[in-house]
């Protein structure tokens, strides 16, 4: 057994992944919630979508991250988050998809991190450090 093998623990990695993605996107959800989703409503109005659609963001930025963090139906919640991020990228950040930011990073690196982080959770599941691990959606 080499020195690194004691640090290899898939279950701990899954927990860190879930907590990282969940907490970071939850901050965005709380900020949108406290603003009454005003930015999202105005964005939807500008493309002729009823502003009531902004409340779907509540599912993707508040409910789904909480479920991901605690590990209950994390695969299902990660699908909701991934869909939420895909729509956010297409509606609010489409002009930045093929750009670099002022530091040389991808123009939508934060949104990409959330999107692909959610996809990883979907494929790997919540792991054993979760509220539930008995459903195919955990």
């Amino acid at each position: 057994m080499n020195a690194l093998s004691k640090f290899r623990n898939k279950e701990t990695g899954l927990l860190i992944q879930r907590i990282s993605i969940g907490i970071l996107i939850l901050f965005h959800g709380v900020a949108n919630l406290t603003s009454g989703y005003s930015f999202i409503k105005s964005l939807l109005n500008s493309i002729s979508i009823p502003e009531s659609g902004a409340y779907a963001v509540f599912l993707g930025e508040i409910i789904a991250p909480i479920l991901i963090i605690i590990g209950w139906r994390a695969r299902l919640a990660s699908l909701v988050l991934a869909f939420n991020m895909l729509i956010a990228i297409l509606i609010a950040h489409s002009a930045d998809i093929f750009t670099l930011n002022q530091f040389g990073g991808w123009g939508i690196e934060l949104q990409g991190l959330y999107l692909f982080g959610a996809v990883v959770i979907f494929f790997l599941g919540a792991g054993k450090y979760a509220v539930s691990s008995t459903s195919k959606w955990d």
Side-chain angles (χ1 to χ4, degrees), residues 21-112:
I21 295 297
I23 287 176
L24 292 174
I25 196 67
L26 192 57
F27 282 122
H28 290 275
V30 170
N32 281 326
L33 185 63
T34 58
S35 74
Y37 296 96
S38 57
F39 170 73
I40 296 167
K41 287 177 182 178
S42 67
L43 187 62
L44 293 176
N45 279 330
S46 72
I47 57 173
S48 301
I49 294 177
E51 63 182 38
S52 61
Y55 294 104
V57 175
F58 179 80
L59 292 174
E61 291 185 350
I62 301 286
I63 303 299
I66 290 171
L67 295 177
I68 289 168
I69 291 165
I70 66 172
W72 190 78
R73 305 302 186 256
R75 288 181 195 255
L76 183 59
S78 70
L79 277 180
V80 171
L81 175 56
F83 180 75
N84 190 70
M85 291 313 305
L86 183 61
I87 297 302
I89 289 168
L90 294 175
I91 292 176
H93 304 283
S94 60
D96 300 323
I97 292 173
F98 299 107
T99 64
L100 298 177
N101 64 26
Q102 69 268 27
F103 305 108
W106 188 22
I108 58 165
E109 64 187 13
L110 183 61
Q111 295 81 8

Side-chain angles (χ1 to χ4, degrees), residues 14 17 115-125:
L14 291 172
Q17 172 82 0
L115 172 63
F116 295 120
V119 170
V120 168
I121 294 167
F122 172 75
F123 283 114
L124 296 179

